[in-house]
Amino acid sequence: MKLQIPNHLKKIRTIKYTPEDLISFENEVKKHYENGEIKSPIHLSKGNEDQVIKIFSYIAEDDWVFSSWRNHYHALLHGIDKQTLLSDIISGRSMSTNSINPRFYSSSIVGGIIPIATGVAQAIKRKQKKNKVWCFIGDMTYETGIFHESYKFSRNFELPLEFVVEDNNLSTNTPTKESWGMDKIDIPKDIIYYQYERDYPHHGTGNWVLF
Amino acid sequence: MKYLESLIYSMEWLGKKNDTIFLGQSVKYSGNAIFNTLKTIPNEKKLETPVIEDLQMGLSIGLALEGFVPITCYPRFDFLILACNQLINHLDKIRHMSKDRMTPRVIIRTSIGSKTPLDGGVQHTQDYTEVFKSMCSEINVVMLDNSKDIFPMFKEAYEREDSKSTLLIEHGDYYNDK
């Protein structure tokens, strides 16, 4: 299935990274991890480069971006400096990448970012600012109650909050649709959505590492 | 001042600050004891929420990240448990996770449900103060036992230089007596 982009979104940013750049960054992280230099879990991305590059062309530099444990691509594309990010990852902060400039917050708790993103969007609306909030979640997170509460709240109050569902049909290694007893996932038209196949394991690199 | 008067005075003091916002169920409409402390706060300073305890705490964190000082109200300690994901996993950990780059200040109000003249029963009257003290590493947990401490504690929660968040625990039974 192709990338679903809601009609109200407009491209506003030119992305400096190519798919090869993103893959190369994760390869660098992989090298440090397999050298035993990163003593915390890492969750690498691969297989969704084209989609995320296109999505970030709709995101302004002063927007907030919220992500999860698998956040390296989102962090790079939103403008976190490559060396700063790599340094944070090597120091064990891969699962909680954060930044004030650019505005970026990630959490390792399923659904944990969604209420906070909703609150930031509430603040932006009350202050009548022009920037927006973007919340990247997976297919299992999309099915949680906290997503549906927050989605309803944000839409009813017309908050400047965009959701992106990145569907690899896996939560760790649990097939989302099987665990919910579903054949398909129903996504509203005002949400960005795409499917992809995860090329790395849930965490780590697939190779045994002796720390 | 008596207990309830001290709470009203504290809320009015907070209500005069440009950056504060009061949120929760029954901040704008009657329905619980905390409402009786907020009657004089202008409605434009209030955000009446549905029953969404965890989302409410996340809303509070998000508002704080954008410069507001939320006073987020949970009428009973028993209900605050439903907000523990955002309270413990996020608000209490965000400084550590962000290397102190993110320092949201949230003022959390809750109350140990009253037992007189009506006893609310085991799901409405629990005191989890010690449990929350042991779970929180960053959030300051304060028990409001005495009327004279109430305003200084709320003032400290708003003004503290490290901008750490504060959980202030009230006694429902003191609202009418002390």
Side-chain angles (χ1 to χ4, degrees):
Chain A
M1 180 194 169
K2 68 171 189 171
L3 180 62
Q4 170 179 300
I5 299 283
N7 291 332
H8 67 276
L9 297 176
K10 302 283 180 257
K11 284 189 180 181
I12 52 174
R13 179 154 64 166
T14 302
I15 304 299
K16 67 178 181 180
Y17 288 111
T18 65
E20 292 73 25
D21 293 332
L22 297 178
I23 293 168
S24 169
F25 181 83
E26 293 292 57
N27 284 340
E28 180 81 7
V29 175
K30 177 175 184 277
K31 186 181 74 181
H32 289 287
Y33 182 78
E34 292 183 347
N35 282 344
E37 299 168 44
I38 305 174
K39 298 194 168 45
S40 295
I42 55 168
H43 300 74
L44 300 174
S45 295
K46 193 175 182 186
N48 59 338
E49 295 78 21
D50 292 337
Q51 293 95 328
V52 286
I53 287 172
K54 188 167 184 185
I55 291 166
F56 271 84
S57 69
Y58 295 89
I59 300 175
E61 289 179 10
D62 64 345
D63 286 351
W64 276 87
V65 170
F66 287 79
S67 180
S68 67
W69 45 94
R70 196 179 311 284
N71 57 54
H72 301 170
Y73 279 2
H74 305 144
L76 284 173
L77 289 165
H78 196 40
I80 292 182
D81 173 72
K82 192 189 286 188
Q83 283 309 315
T84 302
L85 179 60
L86 185 60
S87 171
D88 270 3
I89 293 167
I90 291 172
S91 71
R93 295 179 178 272
S94 170
M95 294 171 72
S96 56
T97 298
N98 285 278
S99 165
I100 286 294
N101 185 20
R103 297 177 175 90
F104 190 92
Y105 178 79
S106 67
S107 164
S108 300
I109 302 292
V110 171
I113 53 173
I114 304 172
I116 304 172
T118 309
V120 170
Q122 176 81 59
I124 287 171
K125 183 174 183 185
R126 287 184 86 93
K127 290 185 172 182
Q128 298 181 311
K129 293 164 73 174
K130 299 295 182 194
N131 57 334
K132 292 167 72 168
V133 182
W134 299 75
C135 192
F136 286 77
I137 61 174
D139 42 286
M140 184 66 93
T141 305
Y142 170 76
E143 301 294 346
T144 60
I146 196 65
F147 168 77
H148 287 279
E149 275 185 22
S150 305
Y151 175 75
K152 179 162 63 177
F153 189 91
S154 69
R155 293 305 183 253
N156 289 349
F157 288 106
E158 299 180 334
L159 302 184
L161 175 56
E162 305 289 349
F163 288 103
V164 183
V165 178
E166 301 177 300
D167 180 0
N168 59 18
N169 190 36
L170 288 173
S171 171
T172 60
N173 295 316
T174 299
T176 303
K177 289 198 276 292
E178 179 187 322
S179 67
W180 273 102
M182 306 185 304
D183 295 325
K184 64 183 179 66
I185 183 168
D186 292 318
I187 301 288
K189 295 294 181 196
D190 62 354
I191 290 177
I192 297 175
Y193 174 76
Y194 68 92
Q195 295 176 346
Y196 75 107
E197 288 192 21
R198 193 178 75 195
D199 274 8
Y200 278 112
H202 169 61
H203 72 87
T205 64
N207 296 323
W208 177 255
V209 180
L210 189 62
F211 290 103
Chain B
M1 279 191 284
K2 290 187 173 181
Y3 201 85
L4 179 59
E5 292 170 338
S6 300
L7 287 169
I8 292 170
Y9 179 80
S10 301
M11 293 307 107
E12 289 178 343
W13 185 82
L14 287 168
K16 289 174 185 159
K17 306 295 181 187
N18 289 333
D19 54 2
T20 53
I21 179 170
F22 298 78
L23 68 155
Q25 190 189 25
S26 300
V27 297
K28 198 186 285 187
Y29 302 98
S30 64
N32 61 57
I34 283 180
F35 169 76
N36 293 325
T37 69
L38 300 172
K39 285 178 180 174
T40 54
I41 305 298
N43 275 345
E44 58 266 25
K45 297 280 289 181
K46 297 177 180 176
L47 175 60
E48 180 82 7
T49 67
V51 180
I52 47 169
E53 291 89 350
D54 205 41
L55 173 53
Q56 178 188 327
M57 190 63 74
L59 281 170
S60 306
I61 299 169
L63 285 161
L65 287 173
E66 272 287 326
F68 284 97
V69 179
I71 296 96
T72 190
C73 303
Y74 292 82
R76 295 176 191 273
F77 226 146
D78 318 81
F79 306 164
L80 185 62
I81 287 175
L82 289 142
C84 278
N85 178 33
Q86 287 298 324
L87 183 73
I88 305 300
N89 284 327
H90 292 87
L91 183 59
D92 191 59
K93 305 296 183 293
I94 195 167
R95 290 162 183 275
H96 174 77
M97 289 162 61
S98 68
K99 292 195 284 191
D100 284 327
R101 290 180 289 221
M102 294 180 180
T103 57
R105 181 199 305 268
V106 179
I107 298 174
I108 306 138
R109 289 183 65 189
T110 195
S111 178
I112 301 162
S114 60
K115 292 189 175 180
T116 58
L118 298 174
D119 186 338
V122 293
Q123 290 181 318
H124 277 54
T125 59
Q126 295 301 311
D127 176 2
Y128 295 115
T129 304
E130 294 309 315
V131 179
F132 276 70
K133 279 184 178 176
S134 69
M135 283 196 294
C136 292
S137 54
E138 292 283 351
I139 298 169
N140 188 34
V141 180
V142 175
M143 174 68 89
L144 298 175
D145 283 325
N146 298 301
S147 302
K148 67 178 175 53
D149 296 331
I150 290 175
F151 177 66
M153 292 296 188
F154 276 106
K155 188 169 185 287
E156 168 71 5
Y158 178 81
E159 292 183 338
R160 54 185 300 154
E161 289 186 1
D162 60 12
S163 87
K164 286 186 177 178
S165 296
T166 306
L167 165 61
L168 299 110
I169 301 152
E170 303 163 19
H171 291 271
D173 273 329
Y174 295 174
Y175 269 50
N176 296 323
D177 297 333
K178 207 161 178 176

